Amino acid sequence: MNGNNKTFSSDFTLTGLFTNNKASGFLFSIICAIFFMAIIVNGVMIFLIYIDPHLHTPMYFLLSHLSFIDIMYISTIVPKMLADYLEGEGTISFIACTAQYFLYMGFVGAEFFLLGLMAYDRYVAICNPLRYPVLMSHRVCWMILASSWFGGALDSFLLTPITMTLPFCASHKINHFFCEAPTMLRLACGDKAAYEMVMYICCVMMLLIPFSVVIASYAGVLITVHQMKSAEGKKKAFATCSSHMMVVILFYGAALYTYMLPQSYHTPTKDKVFSVFYTIITPLLNPLIYSLRNRDVAEAFKRVLARLKASERSKTDYGLELS
């Protein structure tokens, strides 16, 4: 067995986030709380959209799938990181690292495309409200979802073989808390120019296509809003788009740094900070932004609580009648 083959079969070591012994316990508690809150809040969002008829609209249909993607990709990264801290080691096998990389790229890629295509929904709602049921039909919604998942799968199947077949002959110590593309490239030795070029093109396409949809959609929205004479109409239009724009800025901003900037601008500390932001914090912020800034979700939550209370009262009354 030659040297290169040994590098493919050897384990990697993740340094993780908890490198400072004094603050590591506190940081572990925060990450653990964020993880469980993200799972619960996104789960509640999916449940509300599924159970409340008032939320059976194209926007909330897409939003429920955004919450599902958030649950999946935060679950791909955080449990391993928390387990490593509790076990006191950060070892990850080559197969596990490849699987994590593959799943992470697929889920994050799907979210990139879904967020971009959700801007089209806002464009139709404001610029063509009378044709909204036709332009955002159930069939169109499923096409948007299929396109998002196809884009994410394409990212995974293209980038995973490119990255994980590199000769990792320099070091097996990953200065990160998961197997992310820029960090894995820094471990590789030899001529990486071709690999970096292909990866850069793939990442540009992954970001450029959905970001172009966002820019085009909101350009149309701004033109339409500018032509409105009613101040109340303008306020309602901006309120309709503000939640989505906040999520796009948070998610795309951190991702643009990670995948678009040349390697010379990256440092391990900066990479960890930006990665924490869009892989751990954003999945929690997404449903909070949509729920806190949206009356429909708050009212749906109240209706579900009222329904549960009514059901509990009816069970109690029925039990009293039997007794």
Side-chain angles (χ1 to χ4, degrees), residues 106-307:
F107 292 132
V108 171
E111 180 147 342
F112 280 134
F113 287 105
L114 183 56
L115 279 175
L117 293 172
M118 283 174 71
Y120 170 76
D121 170 75
R122 296 298 82 206
Y123 166 79
V124 175
I126 294 172
C127 301
N128 294 286
L130 297 179
R131 299 186 64 199
Y132 185 80
V134 177
L135 296 176
M136 285 300 299
S137 64
H138 199 61
R139 181 167 173 262
V140 172
C141 289
W142 278 109
M143 287 176 65
I144 288 174
L145 280 181
S147 301
S148 301
W149 283 109
F150 176 78
L154 191 63
D155 289 334
S156 285
F157 282 105
L158 284 176
L159 294 178
T160 304
I162 291 171
T163 305
M164 302 311 291
T165 53
L166 288 168
F168 299 109
C169 52
S171 171
H172 285 219
K173 188 175 182 180
I174 303 173
N175 194 359
H176 213 315
F177 56 91
F178 72 105
C179 300
E180 192 175 30
T183 309
M184 299 305 294
L185 277 176
R186 281 198 292 271
L187 290 183
C189 63
D191 185 11
K192 297 180 286 185
Y195 294 105
E196 289 178 345
M197 180 59 66
V198 173
M199 180 170 288
Y200 183 76
I201 292 171
C202 288
C203 292
V204 166
M205 295 301 293
M206 184 174 69
L207 290 167
L208 190 60
I209 293 174
F211 196 66
S212 298
V213 175
V214 171
I215 296 298
S217 297
Y218 281 109
V221 168
L222 287 174
I223 292 171
T224 302
V225 170
H226 180 71
Q227 294 173 347
M228 289 180 179
K229 296 180 180 180
S230 169
E232 185 65 27
K234 290 182 179 181
K235 184 179 178 181
K236 187 176 180 181
F238 279 121
T240 302
C241 299
S242 60
S243 298
H244 180 255
M245 279 304 301
M246 287 178 67
V247 171
V248 166
I249 291 169
L250 290 171
F251 194 74
Y252 277 59
L256 285 170
Y257 164 83
T258 302
Y259 293 102
M260 295 290 287
L261 284 182
Q263 285 292 313
S264 57
Y265 290 89
H266 288 254
T267 64
T269 303
K270 287 181 181 178
D271 285 352
K272 288 181 182 181
V273 170
F274 279 93
S275 295
V276 164
F277 197 77
Y278 83 93
T279 61
I280 299 176
I281 297 177
T282 303
L284 174 62
L285 291 180
N286 283 354
L288 290 178
I289 289 171
Y290 276 104
S291 60
L292 293 176
R293 296 180 61 85
N294 197 307
R295 291 182 181 178
D296 293 339
V297 176
E299 290 174 358
F301 186 70
K302 292 177 183 178
R303 283 193 294 269
V304 170
L305 286 179
R307 198 182 308 170

